Amino acid sequence: KAASAVFRFNAGQRVASRKNPAPKHSLILYDYESSPWCRLVREQLSVLGLSAEIRPCPRESMWQHGAFSSKSRFRAEAFRAIALESENIGKEGDAKLSFPILVDQTTTIATDGDGKAGTSIVIKESFEIVEHLWDYYGTDVMVPSKPRRPDQLVNSPYIPFPIRFLFLVGPTVLCRIFPLSECIYKWLRVPSSLNNVDTITPDAKMNTSKLTLFQMEGCPESRLVREILCGLEIPYTSSPISQLPRNFLTNDSITDRPVLLVQKVDERGEEISLTGYKDIAQHLWSKYYDPNSEWPTIWSTIEAQENQGQNATFGGMVYVAFLKGRRAFVPNIAQK
């Protein structure tokens, strides 16, 4: 995990300096942990110091891009969001499920025709999402003095495309998106790409706890925690570690380690905090994981009658990723 952070020069490890506090915002991000394009968006959220509600959408099949069944907890919801957006802009039937997807409930737009004013903005494609975040929430970010921020260095258009693309997808490979066999996959228990909804307990399905993860994208320990949250499809709010309430700080100093705040939403209203990967992982596995279930393997597929999405081939997915990677990763405003 530390090696994967080095690939990105620890981009997203620190919040950029601002002239004013970050504007109020309400963001929902549909993503999955091992996607390089989702990582790019999460890095920029960290750099801008923005919180977002994360609704994990891990894949049920490694080989069927955009496919999902009724078991997926949030993919159908994400698909409905982009389908509605396509309808609002007059491109009905043009909805394609790909990640990341951002829903901005802060900024509203007025649509033409019969569209309703005040509709939340739904954006897909990492470049467009990052551009939107900087246009609305990054205008008062101070231009850094030398040296430049890590995210600016690793995303620089002056870096030759093959090297820049390697820096982006390298962590995905190191995160074991392609485990060597079913046995190794189960032994490592790294569910950042695949999920079977039967692996989670009723407590996870019923949302009896509100989880807030105070972390930074470039932190290796935080990445391990996010992998578990993604694989178990546990929704949570991701907030910069600098926003951690003072009463949860140790020795009144900001920690670089992830902190998970668990708030019960029932009548008891209990609240606990856990610091560091080891304690957080133990809590998540014990509370949300069903040990009697089986993880899907890299060979798992979705039957045609169960598939509610697209069925793009793996080769087509790689080709699209390559084409996406050939343009700038982030807008010019993020490089100033």
Side-chain angles (χ1 to χ4, degrees), residues 42-55:
R42 294 194 305 266
E43 285 176 356
Q44 297 302 311
L45 285 170
S46 291
V47 169
L48 292 171
L50 301 177
S51 299
E53 181 183 340
I54 307 297
R55 296 183 182 176

Side-chain angles (χ1 to χ4, degrees), residues 15-27 44-52 106 133-134 136-142 238-240 242-243:
V15 177
S17 299
R18 286 179 173 274
K19 298 177 183 178
N20 302 296
K24 292 183 178 181
H25 52 280
S26 178
L27 307 173
Q44 297 302 311
L45 285 170
S46 291
V47 169
L48 292 171
L50 301 177
S51 299
T106 309
L133 293 175
W134 276 90
Y136 283 92
Y137 307 110
T139 54
D140 64 344
V141 170
M142 300 175 63
S238 174
S239 294
S242 58
Q243 296 181 9

